[in-house]
Amino acid sequence: MFERIAFIGAGRLARTLAPAWAAAGQRVVAVASRQHSAAQNLTLQLPGCQALSPEAAVSAADLVLLTVSDDAIATLASALPWRAGQAVVHCSGATELSALAPAERAGAAVGGFHPLQIFSDPARAARLLAGSTVCIEAMDAGLSERLHGLAAALGMTPMHLRPGTRAAYHAAANLAASSLLAVLAEAQQVWAAIGLSAEAALPALLPLARGTLDAAEARGLAGALSGPVARGDAGVLRAHLQALDGLGAAHGHFYRELLSRQIELAAQAGRQPEALLAELRRLLAD
């Protein structure tokens, strides 16, 4: 698909993708990083790969992946010696391809390749790549085809974005990822407020969260819904709200916001009459 691949940025994403592609038969020839030692450490996993300066890495490769922070993408795109016939791809979910305009003006094809996965542990992330989705955006048909090939080499499922939608797409992805941690943190705080061990909260709640995600995978979001909203139990919901309001207005407000979305899922599931759902909405609004 590409004769020579280079990474600029040797963080967790590069430490996942570069070895995975090398294992799949791709030639990763160069890695560059602000910390040269980080680039050198990554090349130890990549036969025939060198730790180079960003400029030398650009010159050595047909495809250059910018695996750097969002704020650094436009700066790098403006500073490096791109050439016609080259491909330049960033791996940001939120940054538009317009950040790569200097490379495009130099004749390079530009694109985005954003894996929907967590990279806090590169070894674990590498095991999870197969079956994960990757967001691909490229105006050049040839580059799009080649990025699809790179996704297929890792067993990933491609998804396409329209220009101008990356920030909203990425915000939704963040809701599905780290925002889950905010919900668990809220549950942990509520338990601590009523005298339960904060240390015991996470081990107790994680199996519940995993079971919910497994149910969502099997039956969809509406089909996986459980609890008082799914059952139409206004009395339990009223008790929840009174208890949380008693612990502080912020707890009650947070719960109301979340459960208002649950009511919409319950409506989609069609298990409760609209009159009962309307009663639950009034409870949340009071």
Short mmCIF file of all heavy atoms in Angstrom, two decimals, residues 5 18-19 21-23 26-30 42-50:
data_model
loop_
_atom_site.label_atom_id
_atom_site.label_comp_id
_atom_site.label_asym_id
_atom_site.label_seq_id
_atom_site.Cartn_x
_atom_site.Cartn_y
_atom_site.Cartn_z
N ILE A 5 6.73 4.22 5.32
CA ILE A 5 5.89 4.95 6.26
C ILE A 5 6.77 5.57 7.34
O ILE A 5 7.71 4.94 7.83
CB ILE A 5 4.86 4.01 6.92
CG1 ILE A 5 3.94 3.40 5.86
CG2 ILE A 5 4.04 4.74 7.98
CD1 ILE A 5 2.99 2.35 6.42
N ALA A 18 2.57 1.76 14.84
CA ALA A 18 3.79 1.43 14.09
C ALA A 18 4.15 -0.05 14.21
O ALA A 18 4.35 -0.73 13.19
CB ALA A 18 4.94 2.33 14.55
N PRO A 19 4.23 -0.64 15.42
CA PRO A 19 4.53 -2.07 15.50
C PRO A 19 3.44 -2.94 14.87
O PRO A 19 3.75 -3.99 14.29
CB PRO A 19 4.65 -2.33 17.01
CG PRO A 19 4.95 -1.01 17.62
CD PRO A 19 4.21 -0.01 16.77
N TRP A 21 1.50 -2.23 12.27
CA TRP A 21 1.66 -2.23 10.82
C TRP A 21 2.92 -2.97 10.40
O TRP A 21 2.93 -3.66 9.38
CB TRP A 21 1.66 -0.80 10.29
CG TRP A 21 0.27 -0.30 10.01
CD1 TRP A 21 -0.79 -1.02 9.55
CD2 TRP A 21 -0.19 1.04 10.16
NE1 TRP A 21 -1.90 -0.22 9.41
CE2 TRP A 21 -1.56 1.05 9.78
CE3 TRP A 21 0.40 2.22 10.59
CZ2 TRP A 21 -2.34 2.20 9.81
CZ3 TRP A 21 -0.37 3.37 10.63
CH2 TRP A 21 -1.72 3.35 10.23
N ALA A 22 4.00 -2.81 11.16
CA ALA A 22 5.22 -3.54 10.83
C ALA A 22 4.97 -5.05 10.88
O ALA A 22 5.41 -5.80 10.01
CB ALA A 22 6.34 -3.15 11.79
N ALA A 23 4.21 -5.49 11.90
CA ALA A 23 3.89 -6.91 12.01
C ALA A 23 3.00 -7.38 10.87
O ALA A 23 3.01 -8.55 10.50
CB ALA A 23 3.20 -7.18 13.35
N GLN A 26 3.98 -3.94 6.67
CA GLN A 26 4.25 -2.59 6.17
C GLN A 26 5.67 -2.16 6.55
O GLN A 26 6.19 -2.58 7.60
CB GLN A 26 3.24 -1.59 6.74
CG GLN A 26 1.80 -1.89 6.38
CD GLN A 26 1.58 -1.84 4.87
OE1 GLN A 26 2.00 -0.92 4.20
NE2 GLN A 26 0.92 -2.86 4.35
N ARG A 27 6.27 -1.30 5.72
CA ARG A 27 7.62 -0.82 5.98
C ARG A 27 7.56 0.51 6.72
O ARG A 27 7.25 1.55 6.13
CB ARG A 27 8.40 -0.62 4.68
CG ARG A 27 8.99 -1.87 4.09
CD ARG A 27 9.88 -1.50 2.91
NE ARG A 27 11.07 -0.77 3.33
CZ ARG A 27 11.75 0.07 2.55
NH1 ARG A 27 11.36 0.30 1.31
NH2 ARG A 27 12.83 0.67 3.01
N VAL A 28 7.83 0.47 8.01
CA VAL A 28 7.94 1.71 8.80
C VAL A 28 9.43 2.05 8.84
O VAL A 28 10.22 1.34 9.47
CB VAL A 28 7.37 1.53 10.21
CG1 VAL A 28 7.46 2.84 10.99
CG2 VAL A 28 5.91 1.06 10.14
N VAL A 29 9.80 3.14 8.15
CA VAL A 29 11.22 3.41 7.93
C VAL A 29 11.78 4.48 8.83
O VAL A 29 13.00 4.58 8.99
CB VAL A 29 11.48 3.80 6.46
CG1 VAL A 29 11.10 2.66 5.52
CG2 VAL A 29 10.73 5.08 6.10
N ALA A 30 10.91 5.31 9.45
CA ALA A 30 11.43 6.42 10.24
C ALA A 30 10.44 6.82 11.33
O ALA A 30 9.22 6.75 11.14
CB ALA A 30 11.73 7.63 9.35
N LEU A 42 11.19 3.42 20.18
CA LEU A 42 10.18 2.84 19.31
C LEU A 42 10.83 2.09 18.14
O LEU A 42 10.35 1.01 17.75
CB LEU A 42 9.24 3.92 18.78
CG LEU A 42 8.12 3.48 17.84
CD1 LEU A 42 7.32 2.31 18.41
CD2 LEU A 42 7.20 4.66 17.52
N THR A 43 11.92 2.61 17.61
CA THR A 43 12.56 1.93 16.47
C THR A 43 13.10 0.55 16.84
O THR A 43 13.29 -0.29 15.96
CB THR A 43 13.70 2.78 15.88
OG1 THR A 43 14.72 2.95 16.88
CG2 THR A 43 13.20 4.13 15.41
N LEU A 44 13.32 0.31 18.12
CA LEU A 44 13.80 -1.01 18.54
C LEU A 44 12.78 -2.10 18.23
O LEU A 44 13.14 -3.28 18.11
CB LEU A 44 14.11 -1.01 20.04
CG LEU A 44 15.24 -0.08 20.51
CD1 LEU A 44 15.38 -0.13 22.02
CD2 LEU A 44 16.55 -0.45 19.82
N GLN A 45 11.51 -1.72 18.09
CA GLN A 45 10.46 -2.68 17.76
C GLN A 45 10.21 -2.78 16.26
O GLN A 45 9.34 -3.56 15.83
CB GLN A 45 9.15 -2.28 18.43
CG GLN A 45 9.23 -2.09 19.93
CD GLN A 45 7.90 -1.62 20.49
OE1 GLN A 45 6.86 -2.25 20.28
NE2 GLN A 45 7.93 -0.50 21.18
N LEU A 46 10.96 -2.00 15.46
CA LEU A 46 10.64 -1.86 14.04
C LEU A 46 11.88 -2.16 13.20
O LEU A 46 12.75 -1.30 13.04
CB LEU A 46 10.16 -0.43 13.75
CG LEU A 46 8.99 0.06 14.62
CD1 LEU A 46 8.79 1.55 14.45
CD2 LEU A 46 7.72 -0.70 14.27
N PRO A 47 12.01 -3.34 12.67
CA PRO A 47 13.19 -3.69 11.88
C PRO A 47 13.40 -2.73 10.71
O PRO A 47 12.47 -2.39 9.99
CB PRO A 47 12.87 -5.10 11.37
CG PRO A 47 11.86 -5.63 12.34
CD PRO A 47 11.05 -4.46 12.77
N GLY A 48 14.64 -2.25 10.55
CA GLY A 48 14.97 -1.37 9.45
C GLY A 48 14.50 0.06 9.62
O GLY A 48 14.57 0.85 8.67
N CYS A 49 14.03 0.42 10.81
CA CYS A 49 13.52 1.76 11.06
C CYS A 49 14.58 2.60 11.76
O CYS A 49 15.33 2.11 12.60
CB CYS A 49 12.26 1.68 11.92
SG CYS A 49 11.45 3.26 12.21
N GLN A 50 14.62 3.91 11.43
CA GLN A 50 15.59 4.83 12.02
C GLN A 50 14.90 5.94 12.79
O GLN A 50 13.80 6.38 12.43
CB GLN A 50 16.45 5.47 10.93
CG GLN A 50 17.36 4.52 10.18
CD GLN A 50 18.16 5.26 9.14
OE1 GLN A 50 17.62 5.70 8.12
NE2 GLN A 50 19.45 5.44 9.38
#
